[in-house]
Amino acid sequence: RPKPGEVINVSITEMKFKGKDSRVTLKDVHIKIDGCVGQSFLRSYAKLTSAAPGSQDIVAYYGVTKAV
């Protein structure tokens, strides 16, 4: 059970891909928050990890924080 001030990551999906024509689309995703005494905040994020011989890239995108 979450405690005040605790940050929880909720994983929606994870995908391994090959090539450059892969895609993940999320639409109408709902998150339910129960037992919250004060204000809560939500922020979406996506992280892409790419590796090839001799290189590795990690790119993250963070959405706007929204008060709930």
Short mmCIF file of all heavy atoms in Angstrom, two decimals:
data_model
loop_
_atom_site.label_atom_id
_atom_site.label_comp_id
_atom_site.label_asym_id
_atom_site.label_seq_id
_atom_site.Cartn_x
_atom_site.Cartn_y
_atom_site.Cartn_z
N ARG A 1 0.85 -1.18 0.00
CA ARG A 1 0.00 0.00 0.00
C ARG A 1 0.90 1.24 0.00
O ARG A 1 1.78 1.37 0.84
CB ARG A 1 -0.89 -0.05 1.22
CG ARG A 1 -1.70 1.19 1.45
CD ARG A 1 -2.76 0.92 2.44
NE ARG A 1 -3.96 0.80 1.65
CZ ARG A 1 -5.16 1.00 2.08
NH1 ARG A 1 -5.35 1.26 3.34
NH2 ARG A 1 -6.19 0.91 1.31
N PRO A 2 0.66 2.19 -0.91
CA PRO A 2 1.47 3.41 -0.97
C PRO A 2 1.35 4.25 0.30
O PRO A 2 0.31 4.30 0.94
CB PRO A 2 0.88 4.18 -2.15
CG PRO A 2 0.12 3.17 -2.93
CD PRO A 2 -0.34 2.15 -1.96
N LYS A 3 2.44 4.88 0.68
CA LYS A 3 2.49 5.75 1.84
C LYS A 3 2.66 7.20 1.36
O LYS A 3 3.09 7.44 0.25
CB LYS A 3 3.68 5.36 2.71
CG LYS A 3 3.71 3.88 3.06
CD LYS A 3 3.68 3.68 4.52
CE LYS A 3 3.77 2.27 4.97
NZ LYS A 3 2.85 1.34 4.53
N PRO A 4 2.30 8.19 2.20
CA PRO A 4 2.45 9.60 1.79
C PRO A 4 3.87 9.90 1.32
O PRO A 4 4.85 9.46 1.94
CB PRO A 4 2.13 10.37 3.07
CG PRO A 4 1.24 9.45 3.84
CD PRO A 4 1.74 8.07 3.53
N GLY A 5 3.98 10.63 0.22
CA GLY A 5 5.27 10.99 -0.33
C GLY A 5 5.95 9.91 -1.14
O GLY A 5 7.03 10.11 -1.67
N GLU A 6 5.33 8.76 -1.29
CA GLU A 6 5.92 7.64 -2.01
C GLU A 6 5.69 7.80 -3.52
O GLU A 6 4.64 8.24 -3.96
CB GLU A 6 5.29 6.33 -1.54
CG GLU A 6 5.98 5.10 -2.07
CD GLU A 6 5.43 3.82 -1.43
OE1 GLU A 6 4.43 3.89 -0.71
OE2 GLU A 6 6.02 2.78 -1.67
N VAL A 7 6.69 7.44 -4.30
CA VAL A 7 6.60 7.49 -5.75
C VAL A 7 6.48 6.06 -6.27
O VAL A 7 7.28 5.20 -5.89
CB VAL A 7 7.85 8.16 -6.37
CG1 VAL A 7 7.79 8.10 -7.88
CG2 VAL A 7 7.96 9.60 -5.90
N ILE A 8 5.48 5.80 -7.09
CA ILE A 8 5.25 4.47 -7.63
C ILE A 8 5.24 4.54 -9.15
O ILE A 8 4.55 5.38 -9.72
CB ILE A 8 3.92 3.89 -7.12
CG1 ILE A 8 3.96 3.72 -5.61
CG2 ILE A 8 3.61 2.56 -7.79
CD1 ILE A 8 2.67 3.25 -5.01
N ASN A 9 6.01 3.69 -9.79
CA ASN A 9 5.98 3.56 -11.24
C ASN A 9 5.02 2.44 -11.60
O ASN A 9 5.11 1.34 -11.05
CB ASN A 9 7.37 3.23 -11.80
CG ASN A 9 8.31 4.40 -11.67
OD1 ASN A 9 7.92 5.54 -11.78
ND2 ASN A 9 9.57 4.10 -11.43
N VAL A 10 4.11 2.72 -12.51
CA VAL A 10 3.15 1.72 -12.98
C VAL A 10 3.51 1.41 -14.43
O VAL A 10 3.37 2.27 -15.30
CB VAL A 10 1.70 2.23 -12.88
CG1 VAL A 10 0.73 1.20 -13.43
CG2 VAL A 10 1.36 2.59 -11.45
N SER A 11 3.98 0.21 -14.68
CA SER A 11 4.36 -0.19 -16.04
C SER A 11 3.12 -0.61 -16.82
O SER A 11 2.36 -1.47 -16.38
CB SER A 11 5.36 -1.34 -15.98
OG SER A 11 5.72 -1.72 -17.28
N ILE A 12 2.91 0.00 -17.96
CA ILE A 12 1.76 -0.33 -18.80
C ILE A 12 2.16 -1.40 -19.83
O ILE A 12 1.46 -2.37 -20.02
CB ILE A 12 1.23 0.92 -19.54
CG1 ILE A 12 0.86 2.01 -18.55
CG2 ILE A 12 0.06 0.56 -20.43
CD1 ILE A 12 -0.27 1.68 -17.63
N THR A 13 3.29 -1.22 -20.47
CA THR A 13 3.75 -2.20 -21.46
C THR A 13 5.26 -2.12 -21.63
O THR A 13 5.89 -1.12 -21.27
CB THR A 13 3.06 -1.99 -22.82
OG1 THR A 13 3.40 -3.09 -23.69
CG2 THR A 13 3.49 -0.71 -23.48
N GLU A 14 5.81 -3.18 -22.16
CA GLU A 14 7.24 -3.23 -22.49
C GLU A 14 7.35 -4.02 -23.78
O GLU A 14 6.64 -5.01 -23.97
CB GLU A 14 8.01 -3.90 -21.37
CG GLU A 14 9.50 -3.85 -21.56
CD GLU A 14 10.24 -4.37 -20.34
OE1 GLU A 14 9.87 -4.00 -19.21
OE2 GLU A 14 11.17 -5.18 -20.55
N MET A 15 8.22 -3.58 -24.67
CA MET A 15 8.31 -4.24 -25.97
C MET A 15 9.76 -4.31 -26.44
O MET A 15 10.49 -3.34 -26.31
CB MET A 15 7.48 -3.43 -26.98
CG MET A 15 7.52 -3.94 -28.38
SD MET A 15 6.48 -2.87 -29.41
CE MET A 15 7.37 -2.92 -30.92
N LYS A 16 10.17 -5.45 -26.94
CA LYS A 16 11.46 -5.57 -27.62
C LYS A 16 11.19 -5.46 -29.11
O LYS A 16 10.19 -5.99 -29.60
CB LYS A 16 12.11 -6.91 -27.29
CG LYS A 16 12.56 -6.99 -25.86
CD LYS A 16 13.34 -8.25 -25.60
CE LYS A 16 13.82 -8.23 -24.17
NZ LYS A 16 14.76 -9.28 -23.88
N PHE A 17 12.05 -4.78 -29.82
CA PHE A 17 11.82 -4.59 -31.25
C PHE A 17 13.11 -4.71 -32.04
O PHE A 17 14.19 -4.61 -31.49
CB PHE A 17 11.17 -3.22 -31.51
CG PHE A 17 12.05 -2.06 -31.16
CD1 PHE A 17 12.88 -1.48 -32.11
CD2 PHE A 17 12.06 -1.54 -29.88
CE1 PHE A 17 13.69 -0.42 -31.79
CE2 PHE A 17 12.88 -0.47 -29.55
CZ PHE A 17 13.69 0.09 -30.51
N LYS A 18 12.95 -4.96 -33.31
CA LYS A 18 14.07 -4.98 -34.25
C LYS A 18 13.74 -4.04 -35.38
O LYS A 18 12.59 -3.96 -35.81
CB LYS A 18 14.28 -6.38 -34.81
CG LYS A 18 15.01 -7.31 -33.89
CD LYS A 18 15.35 -8.59 -34.61
CE LYS A 18 16.32 -9.39 -33.78
NZ LYS A 18 16.80 -10.57 -34.46
N GLY A 19 14.72 -3.33 -35.87
CA GLY A 19 14.49 -2.41 -36.97
C GLY A 19 13.95 -1.08 -36.50
O GLY A 19 13.81 -0.82 -35.32
N LYS A 20 13.63 -0.22 -37.46
CA LYS A 20 13.21 1.14 -37.12
C LYS A 20 11.71 1.37 -37.28
O LYS A 20 11.23 2.46 -37.04
CB LYS A 20 13.97 2.14 -37.99
CG LYS A 20 13.76 1.92 -39.47
CD LYS A 20 14.56 2.89 -40.27
CE LYS A 20 14.32 2.63 -41.75
NZ LYS A 20 15.03 3.53 -42.60
N ASP A 21 10.96 0.38 -37.68
CA ASP A 21 9.53 0.57 -37.95
C ASP A 21 8.64 -0.03 -36.87
O ASP A 21 7.54 -0.47 -37.15
CB ASP A 21 9.18 -0.02 -39.32
CG ASP A 21 9.88 0.71 -40.45
OD1 ASP A 21 10.03 1.93 -40.34
OD2 ASP A 21 10.27 0.05 -41.43
N SER A 22 9.08 -0.03 -35.62
CA SER A 22 8.28 -0.55 -34.52
C SER A 22 7.49 0.59 -33.88
O SER A 22 7.86 1.75 -33.97
CB SER A 22 9.17 -1.20 -33.47
OG SER A 22 9.86 -2.28 -34.05
N ARG A 23 6.38 0.24 -33.22
CA ARG A 23 5.54 1.27 -32.61
C ARG A 23 4.76 0.69 -31.44
O ARG A 23 4.33 -0.45 -31.47
CB ARG A 23 4.55 1.79 -33.65
CG ARG A 23 3.62 2.83 -33.07
CD ARG A 23 2.47 3.15 -33.96
NE ARG A 23 2.80 3.23 -35.35
CZ ARG A 23 2.22 4.02 -36.23
NH1 ARG A 23 1.26 4.80 -35.84
NH2 ARG A 23 2.57 4.01 -37.49
N VAL A 24 4.57 1.51 -30.43
CA VAL A 24 3.67 1.21 -29.32
C VAL A 24 2.69 2.36 -29.23
O VAL A 24 3.08 3.51 -29.17
CB VAL A 24 4.43 1.07 -27.98
CG1 VAL A 24 3.47 0.91 -26.83
CG2 VAL A 24 5.39 -0.11 -28.04
N THR A 25 1.40 2.07 -29.23
CA THR A 25 0.37 3.10 -29.11
C THR A 25 -0.49 2.79 -27.90
O THR A 25 -0.98 1.67 -27.75
CB THR A 25 -0.52 3.14 -30.37
OG1 THR A 25 0.30 3.38 -31.50
CG2 THR A 25 -1.58 4.22 -30.27
N LEU A 26 -0.66 3.77 -27.03
CA LEU A 26 -1.54 3.64 -25.87
C LEU A 26 -2.64 4.67 -26.03
O LEU A 26 -2.39 5.81 -26.36
CB LEU A 26 -0.79 3.90 -24.57
CG LEU A 26 0.35 2.95 -24.26
CD1 LEU A 26 1.10 3.41 -23.04
CD2 LEU A 26 -0.15 1.55 -24.07
N LYS A 27 -3.87 4.26 -25.77
CA LYS A 27 -5.00 5.17 -25.91
C LYS A 27 -6.00 4.90 -24.80
O LYS A 27 -6.28 3.74 -24.49
CB LYS A 27 -5.66 4.98 -27.29
CG LYS A 27 -6.77 5.95 -27.56
CD LYS A 27 -7.31 5.77 -28.96
CE LYS A 27 -8.44 6.74 -29.20
NZ LYS A 27 -9.06 6.56 -30.48
N ASP A 28 -6.51 5.96 -24.21
CA ASP A 28 -7.54 5.86 -23.17
C ASP A 28 -7.11 4.98 -22.00
O ASP A 28 -7.85 4.12 -21.53
CB ASP A 28 -8.86 5.36 -23.74
CG ASP A 28 -9.41 6.27 -24.81
OD1 ASP A 28 -9.19 7.49 -24.71
OD2 ASP A 28 -10.05 5.78 -25.76
N VAL A 29 -5.88 5.19 -21.51
CA VAL A 29 -5.38 4.45 -20.35
C VAL A 29 -5.88 5.15 -19.09
O VAL A 29 -5.84 6.37 -18.98
CB VAL A 29 -3.84 4.41 -20.35
CG1 VAL A 29 -3.31 3.74 -19.10
CG2 VAL A 29 -3.35 3.68 -21.59
N HIS A 30 -6.39 4.39 -18.13
CA HIS A 30 -6.92 4.94 -16.89
C HIS A 30 -6.12 4.41 -15.70
O HIS A 30 -5.80 3.23 -15.65
CB HIS A 30 -8.39 4.56 -16.72
CG HIS A 30 -9.25 5.08 -17.82
ND1 HIS A 30 -9.89 6.30 -17.73
CD2 HIS A 30 -9.57 4.57 -19.03
CE1 HIS A 30 -10.56 6.51 -18.85
NE2 HIS A 30 -10.39 5.47 -19.65
N ILE A 31 -5.81 5.29 -14.77
CA ILE A 31 -5.14 4.92 -13.53
C ILE A 31 -6.08 5.27 -12.38
O ILE A 31 -6.64 6.36 -12.33
CB ILE A 31 -3.81 5.71 -13.34
CG1 ILE A 31 -2.85 5.44 -14.50
CG2 ILE A 31 -3.17 5.40 -12.00
CD1 ILE A 31 -2.26 4.06 -14.53
N LYS A 32 -6.26 4.34 -11.45
CA LYS A 32 -7.14 4.57 -10.29
C LYS A 32 -6.28 4.73 -9.05
O LYS A 32 -5.39 3.93 -8.79
CB LYS A 32 -8.09 3.39 -10.13
CG LYS A 32 -9.06 3.55 -8.99
CD LYS A 32 -10.01 2.36 -8.94
CE LYS A 32 -10.96 2.51 -7.78
NZ LYS A 32 -11.85 1.36 -7.66
N ILE A 33 -6.57 5.78 -8.26
CA ILE A 33 -5.84 6.03 -7.02
C ILE A 33 -6.83 5.85 -5.87
O ILE A 33 -7.84 6.55 -5.80
CB ILE A 33 -5.25 7.46 -7.01
CG1 ILE A 33 -4.29 7.64 -8.18
CG2 ILE A 33 -4.57 7.74 -5.67
CD1 ILE A 33 -3.80 9.05 -8.36
N ASP A 34 -6.53 4.92 -4.97
CA ASP A 34 -7.41 4.65 -3.82
C ASP A 34 -6.69 5.03 -2.52
O ASP A 34 -5.48 4.92 -2.42
CB ASP A 34 -7.76 3.16 -3.74
CG ASP A 34 -8.77 2.75 -4.79
OD1 ASP A 34 -9.57 3.60 -5.21
OD2 ASP A 34 -8.75 1.57 -5.18
N GLY A 35 -7.46 5.43 -1.54
CA GLY A 35 -6.92 5.65 -0.19
C GLY A 35 -6.00 6.84 -0.08
O GLY A 35 -5.16 6.87 0.81
N CYS A 36 -6.14 7.82 -0.92
CA CYS A 36 -5.27 9.00 -0.89
C CYS A 36 -5.92 10.06 0.00
O CYS A 36 -7.07 10.42 -0.20
CB CYS A 36 -5.06 9.53 -2.30
SG CYS A 36 -3.98 10.95 -2.34
N VAL A 37 -5.18 10.56 0.98
CA VAL A 37 -5.71 11.57 1.88
C VAL A 37 -5.52 12.97 1.30
O VAL A 37 -6.36 13.83 1.43
CB VAL A 37 -5.04 11.47 3.27
CG1 VAL A 37 -5.51 12.58 4.18
CG2 VAL A 37 -5.32 10.11 3.88
N GLY A 38 -4.40 13.20 0.63
CA GLY A 38 -4.11 14.52 0.06
C GLY A 38 -4.12 14.48 -1.45
O GLY A 38 -4.67 13.59 -2.07
N GLN A 39 -3.48 15.48 -2.02
CA GLN A 39 -3.43 15.59 -3.47
C GLN A 39 -2.44 14.59 -4.06
O GLN A 39 -1.40 14.31 -3.46
CB GLN A 39 -3.02 17.01 -3.86
CG GLN A 39 -3.22 17.33 -5.30
CD GLN A 39 -2.99 18.81 -5.58
OE1 GLN A 39 -2.23 19.46 -4.89
NE2 GLN A 39 -3.64 19.32 -6.59
N SER A 40 -2.76 14.06 -5.22
CA SER A 40 -1.88 13.14 -5.93
C SER A 40 -1.45 13.77 -7.25
O SER A 40 -2.12 14.65 -7.76
CB SER A 40 -2.58 11.81 -6.22
OG SER A 40 -2.87 11.14 -5.03
N PHE A 41 -0.35 13.28 -7.78
CA PHE A 41 0.17 13.78 -9.05
C PHE A 41 0.48 12.61 -9.96
O PHE A 41 0.96 11.58 -9.50
CB PHE A 41 1.44 14.61 -8.82
CG PHE A 41 1.21 15.81 -7.94
CD1 PHE A 41 1.38 15.72 -6.58
CD2 PHE A 41 0.83 17.02 -8.50
CE1 PHE A 41 1.17 16.82 -5.76
CE2 PHE A 41 0.62 18.12 -7.69
CZ PHE A 41 0.78 18.03 -6.33
N LEU A 42 0.21 12.78 -11.24
CA LEU A 42 0.52 11.76 -12.25
C LEU A 42 1.41 12.37 -13.31
O LEU A 42 1.24 13.53 -13.69
CB LEU A 42 -0.75 11.25 -12.92
CG LEU A 42 -1.74 10.48 -12.06
CD1 LEU A 42 -3.01 10.20 -12.85
CD2 LEU A 42 -1.12 9.18 -11.60
N ARG A 43 2.35 11.59 -13.80
CA ARG A 43 3.19 12.04 -14.92
C ARG A 43 3.54 10.81 -15.77
O ARG A 43 4.05 9.81 -15.27
CB ARG A 43 4.46 12.70 -14.43
CG ARG A 43 5.34 13.19 -15.59
CD ARG A 43 6.44 14.08 -15.14
NE ARG A 43 7.41 13.33 -14.36
CZ ARG A 43 8.59 13.81 -14.02
NH1 ARG A 43 8.93 15.03 -14.37
NH2 ARG A 43 9.43 13.09 -13.33
N SER A 44 3.23 10.89 -17.04
CA SER A 44 3.55 9.79 -17.94
C SER A 44 5.02 9.86 -18.33
O SER A 44 5.65 10.93 -18.27
CB SER A 44 2.67 9.85 -19.19
OG SER A 44 2.91 11.05 -19.90
N TYR A 45 5.56 8.72 -18.70
CA TYR A 45 6.94 8.70 -19.20
C TYR A 45 7.11 7.53 -20.15
O TYR A 45 6.37 6.56 -20.13
CB TYR A 45 7.95 8.61 -18.04
CG TYR A 45 7.99 7.27 -17.37
CD1 TYR A 45 8.93 6.31 -17.76
CD2 TYR A 45 7.10 6.94 -16.36
CE1 TYR A 45 8.97 5.07 -17.15
CE2 TYR A 45 7.13 5.70 -15.75
CZ TYR A 45 8.06 4.78 -16.14
OH TYR A 45 8.10 3.55 -15.53
N ALA A 46 8.09 7.66 -21.01
CA ALA A 46 8.47 6.58 -21.91
C ALA A 46 9.98 6.53 -21.95
O ALA A 46 10.66 7.56 -21.91
CB ALA A 46 7.92 6.82 -23.31
N LYS A 47 10.54 5.32 -22.00
CA LYS A 47 11.99 5.15 -22.04
C LYS A 47 12.34 4.18 -23.16
O LYS A 47 11.74 3.11 -23.26
CB LYS A 47 12.50 4.62 -20.70
CG LYS A 47 14.00 4.43 -20.66
CD LYS A 47 14.48 4.08 -19.27
CE LYS A 47 14.12 2.67 -18.92
NZ LYS A 47 14.74 2.19 -17.68
N LEU A 48 13.28 4.56 -23.99
CA LEU A 48 13.75 3.72 -25.09
C LEU A 48 15.22 3.42 -24.87
O LEU A 48 16.02 4.33 -24.67
CB LEU A 48 13.57 4.42 -26.43
CG LEU A 48 14.22 3.73 -27.62
CD1 LEU A 48 13.50 2.42 -27.93
CD2 LEU A 48 14.26 4.62 -28.83
N THR A 49 15.55 2.13 -24.86
CA THR A 49 16.95 1.70 -24.77
C THR A 49 17.30 1.02 -26.07
O THR A 49 16.60 0.10 -26.51
CB THR A 49 17.14 0.72 -23.59
OG1 THR A 49 16.71 1.37 -22.39
CG2 THR A 49 18.58 0.30 -23.46
N SER A 50 18.35 1.49 -26.70
CA SER A 50 18.78 0.95 -27.99
C SER A 50 20.24 0.55 -27.91
O SER A 50 21.05 1.28 -27.34
CB SER A 50 18.59 2.03 -29.06
OG SER A 50 19.12 1.61 -30.29
N ALA A 51 20.56 -0.62 -28.47
CA ALA A 51 21.94 -1.09 -28.43
C ALA A 51 22.33 -1.68 -29.78
O ALA A 51 21.52 -2.32 -30.44
CB ALA A 51 22.12 -2.13 -27.33
N ALA A 52 23.55 -1.43 -30.16
CA ALA A 52 24.16 -2.00 -31.37
C ALA A 52 25.61 -2.28 -31.02
O ALA A 52 26.11 -1.78 -30.01
CB ALA A 52 24.04 -1.01 -32.54
N PRO A 53 26.28 -3.06 -31.83
CA PRO A 53 27.69 -3.32 -31.53
C PRO A 53 28.46 -2.00 -31.37
O PRO A 53 28.45 -1.15 -32.25
CB PRO A 53 28.18 -4.10 -32.75
CG PRO A 53 26.94 -4.78 -33.28
CD PRO A 53 25.84 -3.79 -33.02
N GLY A 54 29.06 -1.80 -30.19
CA GLY A 54 29.86 -0.62 -29.95
C GLY A 54 29.10 0.63 -29.51
O GLY A 54 29.70 1.67 -29.30
N SER A 55 27.78 0.54 -29.34
CA SER A 55 27.03 1.72 -28.88
C SER A 55 25.79 1.31 -28.11
O SER A 55 25.26 0.22 -28.28
CB SER A 55 26.63 2.59 -30.08
OG SER A 55 25.65 1.95 -30.85
N GLN A 56 25.34 2.23 -27.26
CA GLN A 56 24.10 2.04 -26.51
C GLN A 56 23.51 3.41 -26.25
O GLN A 56 24.22 4.36 -25.92
CB GLN A 56 24.36 1.34 -25.19
CG GLN A 56 23.10 1.09 -24.39
CD GLN A 56 23.36 0.31 -23.11
OE1 GLN A 56 24.50 0.11 -22.71
NE2 GLN A 56 22.31 -0.10 -22.46
N ASP A 57 22.21 3.55 -26.44
CA ASP A 57 21.51 4.81 -26.22
C ASP A 57 20.33 4.58 -25.30
O ASP A 57 19.63 3.58 -25.41
CB ASP A 57 20.98 5.39 -27.54
CG ASP A 57 22.09 5.74 -28.50
OD1 ASP A 57 22.96 6.54 -28.12
OD2 ASP A 57 22.09 5.21 -29.62
N ILE A 58 20.10 5.53 -24.40
CA ILE A 58 18.91 5.52 -23.55
C ILE A 58 18.28 6.90 -23.67
O ILE A 58 18.94 7.91 -23.41
CB ILE A 58 19.26 5.22 -22.08
CG1 ILE A 58 19.91 3.85 -21.97
CG2 ILE A 58 18.01 5.30 -21.21
CD1 ILE A 58 20.45 3.53 -20.60
N VAL A 59 17.02 6.93 -24.08
CA VAL A 59 16.29 8.19 -24.25
C VAL A 59 15.02 8.10 -23.43
O VAL A 59 14.30 7.11 -23.48
CB VAL A 59 15.94 8.43 -25.74
CG1 VAL A 59 15.16 9.71 -25.90
CG2 VAL A 59 17.19 8.45 -26.60
N ALA A 60 14.74 9.15 -22.66
CA ALA A 60 13.52 9.18 -21.84
C ALA A 60 12.71 10.42 -22.18
O ALA A 60 13.27 11.48 -22.44
CB ALA A 60 13.88 9.15 -20.36
N TYR A 61 11.41 10.27 -22.16
CA TYR A 61 10.49 11.38 -22.37
C TYR A 61 9.56 11.41 -21.15
O TYR A 61 8.99 10.40 -20.77
CB TYR A 61 9.64 11.19 -23.63
CG TYR A 61 8.49 12.15 -23.68
CD1 TYR A 61 8.66 13.46 -24.10
CD2 TYR A 61 7.22 11.76 -23.28
CE1 TYR A 61 7.61 14.36 -24.13
CE2 TYR A 61 6.15 12.64 -23.29
CZ TYR A 61 6.35 13.94 -23.71
OH TYR A 61 5.31 14.82 -23.72
N TYR A 62 9.44 12.58 -20.54
CA TYR A 62 8.56 12.75 -19.39
C TYR A 62 7.47 13.75 -19.75
O TYR A 62 7.75 14.85 -20.23
CB TYR A 62 9.35 13.25 -18.17
CG TYR A 62 10.33 12.21 -17.68
CD1 TYR A 62 11.62 12.16 -18.18
CD2 TYR A 62 9.94 11.26 -16.74
CE1 TYR A 62 12.51 11.20 -17.74
CE2 TYR A 62 10.83 10.29 -16.31
CZ TYR A 62 12.12 10.27 -16.81
OH TYR A 62 12.99 9.31 -16.39
N GLY A 63 6.23 13.37 -19.51
CA GLY A 63 5.10 14.23 -19.80
C GLY A 63 4.92 15.29 -18.73
O GLY A 63 5.66 15.35 -17.74
N VAL A 64 3.93 16.10 -18.89
CA VAL A 64 3.61 17.16 -17.95
C VAL A 64 3.00 16.56 -16.68
O VAL A 64 2.16 15.66 -16.77
CB VAL A 64 2.59 18.15 -18.60
CG1 VAL A 64 2.15 19.21 -17.61
CG2 VAL A 64 3.19 18.78 -19.84
N THR A 65 3.44 17.02 -15.52
CA THR A 65 2.88 16.54 -14.26
C THR A 65 1.48 17.11 -14.09
O THR A 65 1.26 18.30 -14.29
CB THR A 65 3.76 16.98 -13.08
OG1 THR A 65 5.07 16.43 -13.27
CG2 THR A 65 3.21 16.49 -11.75
N LYS A 66 0.53 16.24 -13.75
CA LYS A 66 -0.87 16.66 -13.60
C LYS A 66 -1.32 16.38 -12.17
O LYS A 66 -1.12 15.29 -11.66
CB LYS A 66 -1.76 15.91 -14.57
CG LYS A 66 -1.41 16.22 -16.00
CD LYS A 66 -2.44 15.71 -16.94
CE LYS A 66 -1.97 16.05 -18.36
NZ LYS A 66 -3.01 16.20 -19.27
N ALA A 67 -1.94 17.39 -11.56
CA ALA A 67 -2.51 17.21 -10.23
C ALA A 67 -3.84 16.49 -10.36
O ALA A 67 -4.61 16.77 -11.27
CB ALA A 67 -2.70 18.57 -9.56
N VAL A 68 -4.08 15.57 -9.44
CA VAL A 68 -5.32 14.80 -9.46
C VAL A 68 -6.13 15.14 -8.22
O VAL A 68 -5.63 15.21 -7.14
CB VAL A 68 -5.03 13.28 -9.48
CG1 VAL A 68 -6.30 12.48 -9.50
CG2 VAL A 68 -4.14 12.94 -10.64
#
